[in-house]
Every structure is written in C-alpha cells, then in structure tokens.
Amino acid sequence: MRRFCSYLLILTSLALGWPSPAVAKEEALKMGVFPRRNFTTTIKMFTPLANHLSRKLGRKVLLETEKDFQSFWNKVQSGYYDIVHYNQYHYIRTRKKPGYRVIAKNEEFGLSTIAGSIVIRTDSHIKQIKDLFGKKIVFGGSKKAMQSYIIATYLLRRGGLKAGDYTETFAINPPNAVLATYFHQAAAAGVGDKVILMSVVSRNVNTKKLAYLARGQQLAHLPWAVSTRLPRKQRNRIRTVLTTLKKTREGKKILRAARLTNIVTAKDKEYDPHRRIIKIVTGEQY
C-alpha cells in the first residue's frame, strides 16, 4: 500500500506540474581530494571550497578524502567521485575508464607547474644519484604517486640506478617522506618539488638542512577533474566556479584555506609529457 501511494503521488505530481518527490532534490555531488596531506588537514583545507561549490551550484557538495593513497585510489577507480582532485597519474589512468575529464589544475606558490624531485640532507655526503646505490629511499604515498614515485624513479633511472640498486620504502604521504629523510630514517626522499615549502614541513624542521639532489622538468600541476556522468553544462559550471575564485575576496579566502594561490584552467594535452614518463617507468601506455 505504501509503495502504491508513493507511485500515485508521483503520477499526481506529474499531472499537476509539481516537482516529483523522486527528482525534486538532486543527489549531493561527491568531491574527493587525495591524501597529499593527512586526513584532518585535508578536510580542514578544502571544506570552504566544498561549501562554496554547494552555494554556486545550488546542489550539495560533500567533501571526502581517505587516510591512505590506496583507499582513495580504490574509490577513484570505481568512479565513486563526481569531482576529484588527484595526481596526474590518477587522472591519466581514469580518463577513459571510469571516465573523468580534467577541467583545472593547481597553482601553488605562484606556479601552475610542479616537478618530481629527490631530496637529501645537506650533510649526507651524497653528491649524485649514483651515490644512492645500496641506500634506502623513501617515496611519498605509493607507486601511483606521480611526482613522488614515478617521476622520482625516472630521475633515478636517468642518473644510472636501476631497480634493485636501492631499497624502496614508502611514507603515508610526501611530507612524511621528507621528514623521514630529515630524521635519518632514509638517505633520500622522492617527492614533488613543492613539498619542502609546505608548512607541515617548514614548521617542523630546518629546511636549510634539506636540498634537491635532482629535480625533474616543470610539468602541469595537480589536476581537478569531473566525472563524465555529469552533464557538460554542469561540468563547465564547476570549472568556472573553480577558476574564478581569485576574482573575489571570498574566493581568495577559500584559496588561502586550501593553501593555493589559484586554480587555473587545464586541458588534457598538458598531461602528454606525464604519459611519456609513465610509459618509460612503468611500461603502461595511455
């Protein structure tokens, strides 16, 4: 009887032009942000942005993250998120399946590019990549980390080291990889070249005791993408909201909270250099 009454109400709503109870309120959009920092910090940083998107889109945007890269990646692969901020490898892997389109990218410290790097202590007596032979290297995140693992590994290969020439270990995120190196838990860290500048690092250690042993080419920054399930009009609207934040006082506050200087428009072809490096390091072709 309850099901019959609900069905009758929907038919009546349609006949009289009322919004149907089944469709009157759209489902919330799920926005995933990858765990580049710890869970609590990530939620605090991006909550103002999620709230702003909710107001501008007229549709609730739920912010989510995970405590580790693998848990986050599992949801990305399943197409769980509607809006997602992740690394370049994540984007390239998921462009076709489950289907995401890049709409924007980060600008941090005034730059919309980022590079992978190998970080060491200045007192380590390591002068070149080959000096890391037989040493422990800690990578930030996992083997799916673009800057921290894939490009860092590319730098190691270019410097003459092959798999097995050093011991791989992983920190839960890039800042922790730098901290592990600082506290002599590893000889070097594979991270993005902006990690040393992050407050979570600079507040806790003397960054003058850290140096870049190697840095890769500056490439397109971390992307923002939207699911192809969303109508094109809505995808474009999300892009507009993200890329116009810097134009208003409120938007600038949101960017500061997210520790960004801007979010700028991005196109798929900007990630072709990443595709070439991924093929060299992993053999995967996208």
Side-chain angles (χ1 to χ4, degrees):
M1 176 64 75
R2 184 181 299 171
R3 183 177 298 175
F4 174 76
C5 290
S6 297
Y7 180 64
L8 183 61
L9 178 59
I10 291 172
L11 290 178
T12 304
S13 298
L14 291 174
L16 297 177
W18 301 343
S20 166
V23 297
K25 188 174 180 180
E26 293 180 293
E27 288 186 9
L29 295 172
K30 295 181 287 292
M31 183 175 86
V33 176
F34 77 128
R36 189 182 180 197
R37 299 172 177 87
N38 68 51
F39 183 96
T40 303
T41 300
T42 300
I43 293 296
K44 183 178 179 180
M45 287 171 58
F46 290 96
T47 292
L49 177 56
N51 293 340
H52 181 72
L53 280 166
S54 294
R55 291 191 296 271
K56 291 293 185 179
L57 299 175
R59 185 174 178 182
K60 182 67 175 177
V61 175
L62 299 176
L63 171 63
E64 297 188 25
T65 189
E66 294 293 330
K67 293 184 177 180
D68 60 78
F69 272 64
Q70 188 57 51
S71 299
F72 177 80
W73 175 243
N74 290 342
K75 285 191 171 181
V76 170
Q77 274 192 307
S78 71
Y80 176 80
Y81 301 115
D82 300 294
I83 307 167
V84 60
H85 178 44
Y86 49 6
N87 73 38
Q88 298 89 338
Y89 179 69
H90 293 151
Y91 164 64
I92 289 167
R93 280 276 305 263
T94 59
R95 186 180 185 276
K96 290 185 177 180
K97 186 179 180 180
Y100 285 101
R101 294 293 179 267
V102 66
I103 56 171
K105 60 185 175 181
N106 280 6
E107 178 190 286
E108 297 180 9
F109 307 103
L111 294 174
S112 61
T113 59
I114 190 170
S117 70
I118 305 293
V119 172
I120 57 170
R121 284 185 59 101
T122 55
D123 59 2
S124 66
H125 306 296
I126 294 170
K127 304 301 180 185
Q128 56 183 340
I129 291 292
K130 287 187 177 181
D131 294 337
L132 290 171
F133 184 88
K135 301 287 197 303
K136 180 190 290 187
I137 303 174
V138 57
F139 300 90
S142 72
K143 290 188 176 184
K144 296 179 182 68
M146 187 72 221
Q147 273 73 234
S148 299
Y149 183 77
I150 296 173
I151 293 181
T153 299
Y154 174 71
L155 294 173
L156 293 171
R157 299 291 180 269
R158 200 170 63 178
L161 294 184
K162 61 183 185 298
D165 286 345
Y166 52 90
T167 300
E168 289 187 354
T169 187
F170 294 88
I172 195 168
N173 56 41
N176 280 11
V178 172
L179 296 176
T181 300
Y182 183 88
F183 291 111
H184 303 282
Q185 295 168 8
V191 292
D193 70 334
K194 304 295 188 295
V195 175
I196 288 180
L197 302 176
M198 289 181 177
S199 59
V200 67
V201 174
S202 60
R203 279 200 316 261
N204 291 297
V205 301
N206 180 3
T207 55
K208 291 182 179 179
K209 292 185 178 181
L210 297 168
Y212 297 105
L213 179 65
R215 295 171 82 173
Q217 179 184 355
Q218 291 289 327
L219 300 174
H221 218 302
L222 301 169
W224 291 82
V226 287
S227 172
T228 52
R229 293 189 306 268
L230 300 181
R232 184 182 297 272
K233 185 176 180 180
Q234 188 163 55
R235 285 185 260 159
N236 290 339
R237 177 60 179 156
I238 294 168
R239 176 196 284 117
T240 298
V241 173
L242 291 176
T243 58
T244 57
L245 287 169
K246 200 172 182 179
K247 295 182 178 181
T248 66
R249 181 178 297 179
E250 180 191 6
K252 289 176 182 177
K253 286 178 64 177
I254 291 166
L255 288 169
R256 284 196 297 273
R259 300 176 193 173
L260 301 173
T261 50
N262 204 0
I263 298 177
V264 298
T265 299
K267 296 182 179 180
D268 177 73
K269 66 180 180 181
E270 296 179 56
Y271 296 92
D272 284 344
H274 300 85
R275 290 181 171 99
R276 289 192 286 271
I277 292 172
I278 289 167
K279 183 179 179 182
I280 291 170
V281 173
T282 70
E284 300 169 13
Q285 188 166 359
Y286 300 101

